[in-house]
Amino acid sequence: MPEEQQQRKEGNRPPREGGRGPGSGPPRGDRPGGGPPHGGGDRGDRGDRRGGDRGRFEGPPEIELDKLITDSLYLDNHAHAIVSRMRDMDSGTKTQLRRLYGAVRRAVRAPEGERQHEFVMLRARLAYTIARHGLRSLDQLEKLLLQVTRKNDIRGYERFKDLFEAIVAYNE
């Protein structure tokens, strides 16, 4: 094994050129295919930050909010589909799901003037949980939550809560 590879394997990295400390690379904007130094880009496209297609999956089409509001069987079918994908793709999601469901319930109960803000923050929390725990099967919920928040209708919020409740129940 070449010396440089052996050093990296053992965690001893040689100093980088340019006088910067070990492990520091060029600024993001200078990296090949780099992008802006602040790591910007489309907030919803987290797959690119993870390195290629690792972690991405081609799931079923997005959940349509209007159908979700009007059709209980549509809600039930999507809850089953999400739980099925969770079992195939993710592990250890029960605790995270219960915590998120508690946050959903609190957001629905928020006063009307604060409800949209609570759901915006819930979306951020969901995005963090998806990224932190690798719960790629919940990407559909994040997209649906964006639709719900944009529509800002109490029926949408209630149906999102119902869908989440069904997912938690079917995941037990």
Side-chain angles (χ1 to χ4, degrees), residues 116-134:
Q116 186 176 30
H117 173 74
E118 291 295 320
F119 270 86
V120 167
M121 296 311 297
L122 178 64
R123 181 170 176 251
R125 186 173 180 181
L126 179 60
Y128 173 79
T129 301
I130 289 170
R132 175 78 170 96
H133 298 284

Side-chain angles (χ1 to χ4, degrees), residues 96-136:
Q96 288 89 11
L97 273 179
R98 280 191 227 108
R99 286 181 183 157
L100 286 168
Y101 177 59
V104 169
R105 290 178 55 196
R106 284 188 300 278
V108 169
R109 289 191 311 255
E112 186 176 342
E114 297 175 24
R115 194 172 296 129
Q116 186 176 30
H117 173 74
E118 291 295 320
F119 270 86
V120 167
M121 296 311 297
L122 178 64
R123 181 170 176 251
R125 186 173 180 181
L126 179 60
Y128 173 79
T129 301
I130 289 170
R132 175 78 170 96
H133 298 284
L135 305 177
R136 305 308 327 162

Side-chain angles (χ1 to χ4, degrees), residues 4 6-16 21-25:
E4 185 177 294
Q6 182 65 31
Q7 286 178 341
R8 284 197 179 128
K9 183 176 180 183
E10 295 171 1
N12 301 325
R13 294 186 180 176
R16 309 248 329 145
S24 65

